[in-house]
Amino acid sequence: MSQKFEQIARLTRSTAIFKANYVPLALVGTSLISFIAWSKLPYGQAFPHLTISEYVPKKSYFHSLILAPLNFQTNGHLLVYGPAMLYSFYQMSTILCNTQFLAFYIVNSLICSSFTVYYEKKRSAEFGINLMSPKCVSAITPLSFMTSLMVLKPHLKLLNKPPLPFFLIPAMYAMYEVQEYQNGFINEVCRPTHILALVNGLILGLIFKRFI
């Protein structure tokens, strides 16, 4: 009998730590589907829906503001930002409920994706370019979630022995993004949006901390 009670208690502890379950899984599933669609569909059919492009303001493709932050265009994007997204989703699911998790994702996506449209149109006007090249903004999701964890879980550690604090990981990503921004123009990404996502995660973390 005691063993049965111990088993029930162990199962209860393992499930109680997750406040959000289906929303993180749904976002990861959508990300995988978009990655497959990007590799299988013709470029002309995929990019209007899965990137931030001129189609957003001109043809009212506003759904891409929400879908694009989950789309890893290349294997390189997936390898650099995919593990960070999975780990940050895992940790955030222990803090936020499904509604809060979805709200965090949507607010961050709208802010960063809209900034991408504004920044690229502004730069296009400065350089006399008529069309905004499609931008992959998938990095904004893990970057924002990681920096928000610094606020919501300030004592989080990757390893206990030896102690390895989590904040070193978003700090490394921040250095990488700033360095890439200083290196100059990259056609497929909007690096200032990545830096904005790092800052936006901190702000959203402070806001959501009041409700948990």
Side-chain angles (χ1 to χ4, degrees):
M1 183 65 71
S2 61
Q3 291 180 349
K4 186 173 291 187
F5 277 119
E6 287 177 3
Q7 184 179 9
I8 293 173
R10 187 166 58 252
L11 290 172
T12 302
R13 285 196 299 269
S14 66
T15 55
I17 62 171
F18 293 100
K19 295 183 179 180
N21 41 36
Y22 59 83
V23 170
L25 291 175
L27 293 178
V28 171
T30 303
S31 180
L32 291 174
I33 291 172
S34 67
F35 181 75
I36 295 171
W38 186 263
S39 62
K40 299 298 182 183
L41 292 176
Y43 179 80
Q45 294 181 13
F47 89 83
H49 305 282
L50 300 177
T51 64
I52 302 301
S53 68
E54 193 71 16
Y55 279 66
V56 175
K58 282 193 172 182
K59 295 193 176 182
S60 300
Y61 276 29
F62 297 115
H63 58 278
S64 62
L65 298 176
I66 302 297
L67 292 178
L70 289 174
N71 175 47
F72 296 101
Q73 276 186 228
T74 65
N75 292 332
H77 289 151
L78 185 63
L79 289 174
V80 173
Y81 299 107
M85 187 179 77
L86 289 176
Y87 183 78
S88 59
F89 275 17
Y90 171 80
Q91 291 294 341
M92 288 287 274
S93 65
T94 66
I95 306 170
L96 305 179
C97 67
N98 285 300
T99 303
Q100 292 169 333
F101 200 106
L102 183 60
F104 188 104
Y105 171 77
I106 291 176
V107 171
N108 180 65
S109 297
L110 290 176
I111 291 174
C112 294
S113 296
S114 299
F115 174 79
T116 304
V117 176
Y118 165 78
Y119 179 84
E120 291 298 324
K121 286 182 70 67
K122 181 175 180 294
R123 192 176 65 169
S124 296
E126 291 174 354
F127 288 91
I129 303 172
N130 293 325
L131 294 177
M132 183 177 74
S133 61
K135 300 296 177 182
C136 174
V137 294
S138 56
I140 68 174
T141 302
L143 292 175
S144 183
F145 272 78
M146 280 194 298
T147 53
S148 67
L149 279 172
M150 294 170 57
V151 177
L152 298 174
K153 273 191 171 183
H155 304 297
L156 179 63
K157 291 181 176 61
L158 291 173
L159 294 173
N160 290 322
K161 293 182 180 180
L164 181 62
F166 170 75
F167 77 84
L168 293 176
I169 303 302
M172 289 176 61
Y173 272 93
M175 290 188 292
Y176 168 74
E177 297 297 342
V178 172
Q179 180 65 31
E180 286 297 299
Y181 173 71
Q182 293 175 343
N183 285 339
F185 174 73
I186 299 177
N187 190 52
E188 64 186 13
V189 298
C190 179
R191 200 64 66 177
T193 301
H194 294 188
I195 298 173
L196 172 65
L198 291 165
V199 178
N200 194 49
L202 293 172
I203 296 172
L204 290 178
L206 292 171
I207 294 173
F208 276 78
K209 193 171 185 178
R210 301 179 60 184
F211 302 99
I212 59 175

